[in-house]
């Protein structure tokens, strides 16, 4: 299928979306270069190793593996030659501070209240899968094709003004399950009390396609895509930050310049519009992109723990006592939550070598405001507070001792990934407009395209890969 079309493309950013787009364009015959400011590819898919421990620093759960398979088929590769995907029997264990525990396993999804919510999400998936997830917003009309007439009955759900929390409250009586389902809003960095109920597609997808882990660590995903790109002849330029784009010429911080036929930006669309492409937008366009509120960031703590707590699974969530107050802190007060919901991932459960004998590698994540002006003292105090919470909630046992501890706050995330105030997903999805019509995938006038978590259809590994697929199809259509 590969042709040489004598056209050149530069992809700025070696996140998963950027590398996948580079592969797709190479398969269309483009000469493709990737520039990334970091020393390694993968963007948010990084890892850290110290004294016999290994931690994933970004995503920890893979959903919709079929999207991944599609990319391997497109590149004419066998996925098993590059990756081993491990299905999780228990996707997450949820803890409440009153002692209640729920496991997200097969029997959980069969609960009748849960089933009614899944049915709701299934309808959204059936309709939006055809329109929204596989096509850019300009092609929403596809949803109205006569072949979809059966699924069109779900349209009111897609356009509903109800929030995710409101629909959960209507469908579910059990207060524990209510809180559990509200947490799916955080998959795109939003509040369940503001995000549209459309996002009930997320639990449906998790139930239907399962939760997965990538053997060897989530970074293996990025490495597999990087390997295919290299085999196909994509040129990688690391430690090269694109700082200026003027008169179709892109320039790096070392003064290296190029005038590609196509520019693809994989960095966060908001920051890219305000920095690299600031000369390409009118003030009005910049105001539009800067106006919506930002998604949440994260406060991450990596712990090397001597001793084991067998009650903890691979993925665990310990809930706050007051969920509305937590989201108010993050999105209104812009403060680190006082009584946070705490996520703990221990890959040692899957991967014996990720921590020394008798030890555990804890990746601890608290949802945090997109705000970078924390002092080191504040960051240190908050780390202490979260560790104390882990002890109070009996997740970190008296018999367990912390050997290694490192925290990563929004400021560091902003610097590493070049994101606005450390936001993980660009805009928060706090309205139908900001959920369905995210920053555009193409510049209104120039041959500049956008791929990745801050553009359409949204953040998370599968969506970013769908975004790359859509960009490649759009470019193929525009130039053939
Ligand atoms: C803590 C955390 C937990 C997460 N958990 C999950 C999860 O469990 N499951 C899931 O599916 N998703 C999860 N995600 C989201 C997922 O990681 C992202 O949506 C996805 O990896 C983003 O990919 P991307 O293609 O948008 O690129 P990114 O990973 O954002 O990479 C963009 C790259 O562009 C580079 N760049 C930007 N501007 C420039 C420039 N001017 N010059 C050079 N280089 C530039 C950056 O350095 C970066 O390397 C999580 C994210 C985080 C941070």
């Amino acid at each position: 299928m590969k042709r040489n079309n004598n056209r050149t493309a530069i992809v700025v950013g070696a996140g998963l979306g950027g590398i996948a787009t580079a592969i797709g364009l190479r398969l269309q015959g483009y000469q493709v270069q990737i520039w990334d400011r970091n020393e390694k590819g993968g963007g948010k898919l990084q890892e850290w190793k110290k004294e016999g421990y290994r931690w994933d620093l970004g995503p920890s759960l893979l959903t919709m593996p079929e999207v991944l398979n599609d990319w391997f088929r497109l590149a004419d590769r066998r996925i098993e030659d590059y990756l081993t995907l491990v299905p999780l029997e228990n996707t997450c264990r949820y803890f409440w501070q009153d002692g209640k525990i729920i496991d997200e396993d097969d029997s959980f999804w069969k609960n009748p209240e849960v089933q009614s919510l899944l049915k709701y999400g299934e309808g959204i998936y059936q309709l939006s899968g055809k329109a929204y997830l596989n096509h850019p917003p300009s092609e929403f009309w596809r949803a109205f094709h006569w072949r979809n007439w059966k699924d069109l009955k779900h349209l009111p759900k897609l356009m509903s003004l109800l929030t995710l929390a409101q629909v959960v409250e209507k469908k579910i009586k059990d207060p524990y399950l209510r809180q559990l389902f509200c947490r799916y809003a955080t998959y795109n960095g939003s509040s369940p009390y503001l995000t549209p109920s459309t996002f009930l597609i997320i639990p449906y997808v998790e139930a239907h396609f399962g939760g997965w882990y990538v053997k060897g660590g989530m970074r293996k995903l990025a490495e597999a895509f990087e390997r295919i790109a290299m085999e196909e002849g994509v040129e990688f330029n690391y430690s090269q930050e694109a700082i200026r784009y003027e008169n179709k010429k892109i320039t790096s911080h070392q003064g290296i310049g190029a005038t590609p036929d196509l520019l693809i930006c994989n960095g966060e669309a908001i920051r890219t519009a305000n920095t690299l492409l600031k000369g390409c937008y009118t003030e009005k366009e910049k105001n539009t992109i800067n106006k919506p509120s930002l998604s949440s960031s994260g406060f991450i703590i990596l712990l090397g723990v001597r001793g084991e707590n067998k009650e903890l699974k691979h993925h665990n969530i310990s809930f706050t006592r007051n969920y509305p107050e937590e989201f108010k802190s993050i999105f209104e007060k812009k403060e680190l939550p006082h009584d946070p919901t705490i996520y703990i991932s221990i890959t040692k459960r899957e991967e014996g070598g990720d921590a020394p004998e008798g030890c555990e590698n804890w990746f601890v994540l608290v949802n945090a405001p997109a705000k970078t002006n924390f002092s080191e003292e504040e960051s240190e105090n908050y780390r202490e507070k979260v560790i104390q919470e882990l002890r109070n909630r009996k997740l970190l046992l008296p018999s367990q001792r912390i050997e290694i501890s490192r925290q990563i706050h929004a400021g560091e995330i902003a610097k590493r990934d070049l994101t606005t105030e450390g936001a993980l997903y660009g805009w928060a999805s706090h309205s139908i407009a900001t959920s369905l019509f995210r920053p555009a995938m193409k510049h209104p006038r120039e041959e500049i395209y956008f791929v990745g978590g801050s553009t359409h259809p949204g953040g998370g590994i599968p969506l970013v890969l769908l975004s790359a697929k859509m960009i490649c199809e759009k470019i193929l259509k525009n130039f053939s």
Side-chain angles (χ1 to χ4, degrees):
M1 139 83 164
K2 190 157 66 191
R3 311 174 285 262
N4 270 329
N5 68 17
N6 295 324
R7 279 197 296 268
T8 56
I10 289 189
V11 179
V12 175
L16 202 55
I19 305 179
T21 306
I23 295 171
L25 292 181
R26 188 71 202 107
L27 294 175
Q28 291 179 29
Y30 283 81
Q31 296 299 314
V32 188
Q33 277 187 36
I34 295 191
W35 294 11
D36 198 295
R37 66 184 301 275
N38 294 327
E39 287 165 15
K40 279 185 191 163
K44 296 183 173 80
L45 284 133
Q46 299 300 328
E47 64 183 8
W48 189 57
K49 292 180 181 169
K50 193 170 182 187
E51 293 172 23
Y53 290 91
R54 190 199 71 85
W55 296 265
D56 285 318
L57 298 186
S60 50
L61 182 72
L62 175 69
T63 51
M64 298 173 81
E66 204 35 44
V67 178
L68 204 59
N69 284 320
D70 274 351
W71 268 100
F72 278 84
R73 271 195 290 273
L74 184 82
D76 201 14
R77 303 291 204 281
R78 283 160 22 110
I79 193 165
E80 52 277 26
D81 292 339
Y82 292 77
L83 289 170
T84 308
L85 303 185
V86 184
L88 300 172
E89 275 171 28
N90 185 346
T91 311
C92 189
R93 175 166 277 189
Y94 298 93
F95 296 84
W96 280 264
Q97 294 180 45
D98 61 6
K100 172 85 176 171
I101 293 178
I102 294 182
D103 282 324
E104 191 184 304
D105 54 15
D106 258 3
S107 64
F108 166 81
W109 296 118
K110 290 188 181 122
N111 172 320
E113 279 206 299
V114 172
Q115 281 281 313
S116 86
L117 207 66
L118 291 186
K119 200 99 205 99
Y120 187 93
E122 182 180 9
I124 299 171
Y125 179 78
Q126 278 166 359
L127 186 61
S128 67
K130 286 171 189 136
Y132 179 78
L133 288 180
N134 287 295
H135 301 282
S138 56
E139 295 182 31
F140 276 176
W141 55 266
R142 284 173 187 273
F144 300 96
H145 196 279
W146 63 267
R147 264 182 302 207
N148 292 344
W149 66 271
K150 260 197 196 146
D151 296 329
L152 278 172
K153 64 175 182 286
H154 303 298
L155 195 60
K157 293 181 194 167
L158 216 61
M159 293 298 154
S160 167
L161 293 177
L162 294 178
T163 64
L164 187 147
Q166 283 167 331
V167 172
V168 166
E169 201 165 309
K170 267 171 80 173
K171 300 230 162 252
I172 292 200
K173 298 275 166 295
D174 181 327
Y176 298 105
L177 290 179
R178 275 184 179 172
Q179 188 167 20
L180 191 158
F181 277 98
C182 278
R183 82 123 183 154
Y184 286 102
T186 64
Y187 275 38
N188 60 28
S190 302
S191 158
Y193 307 101
L194 297 168
T195 208
S197 55
T198 329
F199 288 101
L200 282 169
I201 190 175
I202 301 174
Y204 168 73
V205 161
E206 195 158 299
H208 189 70
F209 299 101
W212 299 74
Y213 171 70
V214 180
K215 191 102 193 99
M218 299 299 281
R219 212 190 123 64
K220 290 278 178 266
L221 268 180
E223 288 173 2
F225 273 74
E226 192 183 42
R227 195 176 127 201
I228 297 175
M230 282 180 174
E231 288 165 358
E232 290 294 337
V234 171
E235 184 188 320
F236 283 83
N237 298 287
Y238 287 126
S239 304
Q240 188 156 308
E241 181 171 338
I243 55 162
R244 210 170 35 252
Y245 182 77
E246 274 168 358
N247 302 324
K248 306 202 181 305
K249 181 176 176 190
I250 182 151
T251 309
S252 77
H253 74 290
Q254 307 100 323
I256 298 167
T259 43
D261 296 305
L262 294 182
L263 177 67
I264 291 95
C265 299
N266 177 222
E268 188 210 71
I270 308 163
R271 187 168 166 142
T272 303
N274 288 312
T275 53
L276 178 63
L277 301 180
K278 66 175 181 236
C280 303
Y281 288 100
T282 63
E283 278 313 305
K284 192 172 165 211
E285 285 166 345
K286 269 191 240 164
N287 287 342
T288 309
I289 201 162
N290 287 324
K291 203 168 161 198
S293 57
L294 293 169
S295 75
S296 57
S297 184
F299 189 92
I300 297 168
I301 310 173
L302 309 171
L303 296 177
V305 179
R306 178 154 297 280
E308 293 169 311
N309 179 357
K310 292 273 166 49
E311 211 182 17
L312 294 176
K313 299 283 176 191
H314 179 169
H315 299 279
N316 310 273
I317 286 189
S318 161
F319 279 113
T320 171
R321 287 195 176 87
N322 190 339
Y323 225 13
E325 187 53 39
E326 179 171 12
F327 288 102
K328 207 168 165 189
S329 300
I330 297 169
F331 291 104
E332 281 179 39
K333 298 186 194 160
K334 293 265 174 192
E335 285 171 1
L336 289 163
H338 178 66
D339 170 27
T341 294
I342 307 176
Y343 167 74
I344 307 160
S345 167
I346 307 173
T347 57
K348 171 91 184 271
R349 295 286 179 270
E350 242 70 48
E351 218 61 82
D354 276 358
E357 186 68 31
C359 301
E360 292 175 340
N361 62 330
W362 288 32
F363 169 90
V364 178
L365 174 69
V366 170
N367 290 314
K371 176 182 136 178
T372 48
N373 59 344
F374 291 114
S375 66
E376 281 313 308
E377 192 188 352
E378 261 177 295
S379 162
E380 189 56 34
N381 290 344
Y382 197 68
R383 180 185 68 101
E384 289 298 325
K385 180 186 165 50
V386 174
I387 291 174
Q388 191 52 50
E389 276 297 320
L390 292 170
R391 292 239 181 253
N392 295 347
R393 298 183 196 182
K394 301 195 172 47
L395 298 165
L396 194 58
L397 303 176
S399 57
Q400 289 183 293
R401 190 168 52 79
I402 295 172
E403 287 189 322
I404 297 173
S405 165
R406 172 189 166 193
Q407 74 263 31
I408 302 172
H409 57 67
E412 289 161 80
I413 294 173
K415 238 193 245 164
R416 187 192 66 190
D417 302 336
L418 289 187
T419 70
T420 313
E421 296 292 316
L424 298 186
Y425 303 96
W427 290 352
S429 296
H430 283 167
S431 67
I432 293 183
T434 53
S435 310
L436 300 187
F437 303 97
R438 295 177 66 74
M441 304 182 90
K442 180 177 180 313
H443 187 277
R445 295 168 293 279
E446 308 210 27
E447 286 311 318
I448 305 175
Y449 296 81
F450 299 89
V451 67
S454 60
T455 181
H456 179 82
I461 294 166
L463 299 199
V464 157
L465 289 174
L466 287 171
S467 163
K469 187 164 157 259
M470 282 183 239
I471 285 293
C472 293
E473 285 167 358
K474 199 174 173 71
I475 291 171
L476 184 64
K477 212 159 107 192
N478 286 1
F479 290 93
S480 59

